[in-house]
């Protein structure tokens, strides 16, 4: 009779009674285990991996031609390139690092001197020079700039998507290079840096004409100064594509590509693959929408106002803006034709490419290892 009475009770009651018999410590351990799985797979927090290596980090992965003179003379002697990278233990996640820098980054004060550059098609570009750092002086419009006979190396910085000379990472780069004795000039993309569009053209990942004209201008104005270039993100794609197009016919004597997207088609698939990556796509897409809406009145070829107002990701922007202004048939066609991975084999100047293997936006899947 007792067995019959037990089986007649609700199975949920029996399950609840059994659950109460499990020690609370076991629930805590199970919760911590599930939390670890979530952090590792969703937030990509590799704390446990770092723990096993005693937070010594991982070695920098180098791809190069070991018989090259440049490697023997420069790369082999650069200790940083043969060291390890270890992130802050409680920021062992590319997403947490990104959020932290947005909230708590200390931005250096950069006193730029602005030069207005006119392109041959009527476009206007702001070239912001950093010749010294003085927090007491205001931002200056126009300057005598660098003397034409100056031999100080010049480094041209090409920012990423929606970035300009006031972006935090650009200021860090300009500040540190300037403190190391370089003259730094940031080439703001058309319509950025506080300037309006003056021609029916916007910049894109494959638009190298502006860089080509600026490099020619700098080389003409300062023929005795060695000219280097650094591109970040989309700026890196533009830089490598330009170097591949020019081959040996460039005034650039050395370049660095930081966090290049390399293959835009693969990158487009990657940024939409996981839920945690979609906020980046949306944030960049909204930034691009604001950018084009700001200059909408002087871009008569953009007639689909309804679609432009609904842009919510990078692909939307490229479909309704880039393909229209740059005359590409489809977005995938645009991505295939302008990806710098197709041009890197033609680069004929020393080029250092730096990519984070856990980059939340530019996937390591796009890196052209064999070509490098």
């Amino acid at each position: 009779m007792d067995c019959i009475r037990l089986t007649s009770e609700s199975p949920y009651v029996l399950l609840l009674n059994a659950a109460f018999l499990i020690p609370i410590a076991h629930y805590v351990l199970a919760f911590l285990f599930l939390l670890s799985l979530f952090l590792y797979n969703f937030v990509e927090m590799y704390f446990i991996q770092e723990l096993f290596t005693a937070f010594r980090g991982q070695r920098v992965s180098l791809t190069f031609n070991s018989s090259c003179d440049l490697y023997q003379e420069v790369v082999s002697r650069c200790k940083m390139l043969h060291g390890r990278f270890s992130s802050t233990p409680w920021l062992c996640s590319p997403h947490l690092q990104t959020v932290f820098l947005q909230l708590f980054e200390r931005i250096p004060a950069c006193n730029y001197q602005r030069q207005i550059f006119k392109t041959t098609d009527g476009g206007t570009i702001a070239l912001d020079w950093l010749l010294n750092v003085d927090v007491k002086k205001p931002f200056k419009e126009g300057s005598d700039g660098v003397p034409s006979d100056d031999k100080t190396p010049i480094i041209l910085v090409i920012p990423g998507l929606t970035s300009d000379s006031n972006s935090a990472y650009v200021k860090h780069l300009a500040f540190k290079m300037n403190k190391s004795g370089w003259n730094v000039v940031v080439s703001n993309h058309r319509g950025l840096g506080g300037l309006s569009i003056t021609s029916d053209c916007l910049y894109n990942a494959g638009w190298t004409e502006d860089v080509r004209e600026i490099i020619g201008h700098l080389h003409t104005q300062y023929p005795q100064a060695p000219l280097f270039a650094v591109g970040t993100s989309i700026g890196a794609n533009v830089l490598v594509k330009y170097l591949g197009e020019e081959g040996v016919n460039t005034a650039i004597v050395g370049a660095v590509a930081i966090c290049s997207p390399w293959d835009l088609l693969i990158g487009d698939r990657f940024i939409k693959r996981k839920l945690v990556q979609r906020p980046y796509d949306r944030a960049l897409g909204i930034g691009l929408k604001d950018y084009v809406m700001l200059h909408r009145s002087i871009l008569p070829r953009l007639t689909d106002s309804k679609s432009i107002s609904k842009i919510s990701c990078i692909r939307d922007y490229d479909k309704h803006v880039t393909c229209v202004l740059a005359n590409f048939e489809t977005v995938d066609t645009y991505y295939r034709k302008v990806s710098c991975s197709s041009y890197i084999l033609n680069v004929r100047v020393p080029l250092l490419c730096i990519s984070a293997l856990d980059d939340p936006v530019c996937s390591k899947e796009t890196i052209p290892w064999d070509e490098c």
Side-chain angles (χ1 to χ4, degrees):
M1 293 297 295
D2 290 339
C3 292
I4 295 174
R5 187 167 57 252
L6 275 174
T7 54
S8 66
E9 291 185 17
S10 170
Y12 298 106
V13 174
L14 295 174
L15 186 63
L16 186 62
N17 290 334
F20 279 121
L21 298 176
I22 300 175
I24 190 71
H26 292 191
Y27 284 108
V28 173
L29 290 174
F31 171 76
L32 291 176
F33 176 73
L34 293 175
L35 180 62
S36 298
L37 289 178
F38 171 78
L39 292 175
Y40 187 82
N41 291 291
F42 186 75
V43 190
E44 298 176 61
M45 192 167 186
Y46 38 85
F47 179 85
I48 297 177
Q49 179 180 330
E50 289 287 304
L51 187 64
F52 282 124
T53 61
F55 297 100
R56 294 178 63 242
Q58 298 181 355
R59 286 194 174 277
V60 175
S61 176
L62 286 179
T63 299
F64 56 88
N65 181 0
S66 58
S67 63
C68 175
D69 292 338
L70 180 68
Y71 173 80
Q72 300 299 336
E73 296 175 7
V74 180
V75 181
S76 63
R77 303 180 186 181
C78 186
K79 294 182 179 180
M80 181 179 293
L81 295 179
H82 299 272
R84 292 175 175 270
F85 170 77
S86 180
S87 61
T88 304
W90 49 274
L91 283 178
C92 294
S93 162
H95 309 292
L96 296 182
Q97 291 166 14
T98 302
V99 172
F100 181 83
L101 287 176
Q102 291 294 322
L103 298 177
F104 303 106
E105 187 169 27
R106 295 181 180 179
I107 305 174
C110 294
N111 178 39
Y112 292 116
Q113 297 181 14
R114 172 154 292 185
Q115 176 187 3
I116 302 300
F117 179 77
K118 293 286 187 178
T119 62
T120 54
D121 70 340
T124 304
I125 296 173
L127 298 179
D128 288 336
W129 289 84
L130 189 62
L131 306 180
N132 55 61
V133 179
D134 188 349
V135 296
K136 296 181 180 179
K137 293 182 180 180
F139 185 93
K140 290 193 272 188
E141 189 78 31
S143 170
D144 293 337
V146 181
S148 60
D149 60 348
D150 195 344
K151 297 182 181 179
T152 305
I154 296 174
I155 186 161
L156 172 67
V157 179
I158 308 170
L161 198 64
T162 71
S163 299
D164 58 20
S165 58
N166 285 317
S167 298
Y169 72 90
V170 175
K171 283 188 172 182
H172 275 289
L173 174 60
F175 181 85
K176 290 194 174 185
M177 292 304 300
N178 182 257
K179 297 294 279 187
S180 298
W182 299 61
N183 284 325
V184 183
V185 55
V186 182
S187 173
N188 295 284
H189 298 294
R190 296 183 181 215
L192 293 177
L195 291 187
S196 298
I197 293 290
T198 56
S199 66
D200 187 19
C201 180
L202 298 178
Y203 77 97
N204 61 58
W207 181 252
T208 56
E209 290 306 311
D210 288 348
V211 171
R212 184 172 287 104
E213 290 191 34
I214 290 168
I215 290 172
H217 164 73
L218 293 174
H219 182 58
T220 301
Q221 291 294 314
Y222 316 106
Q224 299 185 56
L227 183 58
F228 296 79
V230 173
T232 63
S233 187
I234 287 297
N237 190 87
V238 172
L239 176 60
V240 175
K241 182 173 181 286
Y242 158 78
L243 293 174
E245 291 171 345
E246 294 297 301
V248 296
N249 302 313
T250 178
I252 296 294
V253 297
V256 180
I258 303 174
C259 297
S260 173
W262 292 112
D263 189 312
L264 300 181
L265 189 60
I266 297 176
D268 175 62
R269 307 293 193 265
F270 173 78
I271 203 170
K272 292 178 171 60
R273 186 181 302 166
K274 296 181 180 179
L275 183 63
V276 71
Q277 289 160 331
R278 293 176 188 173
Y280 297 103
D281 191 21
R282 181 171 179 80
L284 290 169
I286 292 175
L288 288 167
K289 181 180 72 172
D290 294 341
Y291 164 69
V292 73
M293 292 300 289
L294 181 64
H295 306 291
R296 177 74 179 79
S297 60
I298 47 179
L299 296 168
R301 286 188 288 165
L302 299 180
T303 57
D304 192 354
S305 301
K306 185 176 180 181
S307 295
I308 292 174
S309 65
K310 294 181 179 179
I311 290 174
S312 61
C313 66
I314 300 173
R315 189 179 181 87
D316 285 349
Y317 172 84
D318 289 331
K319 178 180 180 180
H320 300 297
V321 178
T322 304
C323 287
V324 174
L325 295 179
N327 298 316
F328 287 103
E329 298 86 349
T330 68
V331 179
D332 283 0
T333 301
Y334 160 62
Y335 289 159
R336 289 190 182 97
K337 287 186 176 181
V338 306
S339 294
C340 69
S341 58
S342 302
Y343 294 84
I344 193 169
L345 282 175
N346 297 323
V347 175
R348 292 294 180 267
V349 300
L351 173 64
L352 172 64
C353 305
I354 304 174
S355 294
L357 296 180
D358 63 350
D359 193 312
V361 176
C362 301
S363 170
K364 63 181 179 182
E365 299 169 21
T366 66
I367 299 175
W369 299 102
D370 291 346
E371 289 83 349
C372 291

